[in-house]
Amino acid sequence: MIARLVQLMGGLVLYGVTMAMLVRSGLGLDPWDVFHEGMTHHVPLTFGQVVILTGVFLLLLWVPLRQRPGVGTVLNVIVIGLAADLGLALIPTSDLLVWQALLLVGGIVGNGVAGALYIGARLGPGPRDGLWLGLVERTGRSVRFWRTTLELTVLVVGFVLGGTVGVGTVAYALAIGPVVQAVLPRVDVHRR
């Protein structure tokens, strides 16, 4: 169990830091982070605080869906937001395209590795994943339908709120699945 908690925490911290890398790249964010960043333009909260409060709100949506959080779910809500704010405090911004591209590529790859680590620990889904999982179970609609619907909704709302959409958004959408798929079998506790 200790090894799984270490893997979980490493994945969550890395996930938050790589979110900060994507923000600092200025080249576009994944859909949920477009939403998180957009919200920061309208509330007196940091990016990480918005991530945490969004996670809490999503957990409330789990109640009617009868989803059960695990220790990983609760830690996900707290740790990722704190790590994102720490990353934003430490990672400098730059208009240098090479730096922005390095942050973008490193952020996407690192985010995929981090996601595989915390999912592979099997200590509970994150609040965003648990929402679509619950909707799939309760409605009988496909994963593709609910995941796409939720991602497009938060992307559009986030863009309207002023979140950054760009080449990084497209690159993330195309690359995150293959990165997680490549890493997950190596870190999944049920496959070791």
Side-chain angles (χ1 to χ4, degrees), residues 20-29 94 99-104 168:
M21 291 171 68
L22 292 169
V23 170
R24 288 293 185 237
S25 80
L27 298 175
L29 303 168
S94 173
W99 176 247
Q100 292 172 316
L102 286 172
L103 286 174
L104 176 67

Side-chain angles (χ1 to χ4, degrees), residues 133-187:
L133 285 168
L135 289 166
V136 167
E137 289 173 11
R138 296 295 161 246
T139 66
R141 299 292 305 255
S142 69
V143 169
R144 177 178 50 234
F145 173 80
W146 281 115
R147 183 82 192 252
T148 303
T149 298
L150 290 171
E151 299 272 334
L152 287 176
T153 300
V154 296
L155 176 65
V156 170
V157 171
F159 179 71
V160 169
L161 293 173
T164 305
V165 175
V167 66
T169 308
V170 175
Y172 188 95
L174 294 174
I176 196 67
V179 173
V180 172
Q181 183 174 335
V183 177
L184 187 56
R186 293 169 174 78
V187 297

